[in-house]
Amino acid sequence: PVSIGMSMDIASIDTISEINMDYTATIFLRQRWTDERLCFDGNKSLSLDGRLVEMLWVPDTFIVDSKKSFLHDVTVENRLIRIYPNGTILYAIRITTTVSCSMDLTKYPMDKQTCTLQLESCKT
């Protein structure tokens, strides 16, 4: 098994829709794991062009209850790939996602809602 470290920052919550029972947020997702096949001699990390991600194994991470999502690509894809001498890979992306959120509006306008943002990964 591969241990994957993850962190996520919410850059913005763009919309909340009571009618559609969802919200839209922009997030920065960072994942880190080690692939010993990518070890190299040196003491500095290598930053790679985001297009090279197609040549690497990356975790199959997805957003639970996402209705639609997209990766930002202006002016280039918003991806960072950094490889460290010990084979550790840092993979960071910027995503905007619309996520379902069941809301109980029976106490409107004094209601309080809790919406989650969950990430999962499939074992392959």
Side-chain angles (χ1 to χ4, degrees):
V2 176
S3 295
I4 302 164
M6 254 190 236
S7 67
M8 176 177 61
D9 289 324
I10 299 175
S12 63
I13 297 177
D14 305 312
T15 60
I16 300 171
S17 174
E18 298 84 4
I19 295 170
N20 296 323
M21 297 282 184
D22 61 23
Y23 68 96
T24 301
T26 298
I27 63 172
F28 291 98
L29 174 63
R30 286 173 297 284
Q31 299 175 93
R32 184 183 299 258
W33 67 95
T34 300
D35 185 338
E36 295 174 358
R37 299 171 297 176
L38 298 175
C39 292
F40 61 91
D41 291 328
N43 57 5
K44 293 188 177 184
S45 64
L46 300 173
S47 292
L48 304 178
D49 186 303
R51 293 174 289 191
L52 293 176
V53 74
E54 304 301 326
M55 301 173 74
L56 298 173
W57 177 87
V58 295
D60 184 16
T61 305
F62 62 93
I63 300 168
V64 178
D65 296 327
S66 175
K67 291 182 171 181
K68 63 180 178 179
S69 298
F70 68 89
L71 300 177
H72 290 258
D73 58 1
V74 176
T75 58
V76 294
E77 286 187 311
N78 290 188
R79 296 191 210 199
L80 166 74
I81 303 170
R82 184 168 289 147
I83 302 177
Y84 295 87
N86 68 349
T88 296
I89 300 168
L90 171 64
Y91 177 51
I93 54 178
R94 182 169 67 130
I95 305 168
T96 293
T97 184
T98 300
V99 182
S100 294
C101 177
S102 295
M103 299 179 199
D104 180 3
L105 304 171
T106 55
K107 296 181 182 177
Y108 182 83
M110 304 306 283
D111 59 328
K112 189 184 292 187
Q113 306 301 325
T114 302
C115 296
T116 60
L117 182 58
Q118 298 177 27
L119 300 174
E120 290 186 7
S121 182
C122 291
K123 292 181 182 181
T124 56

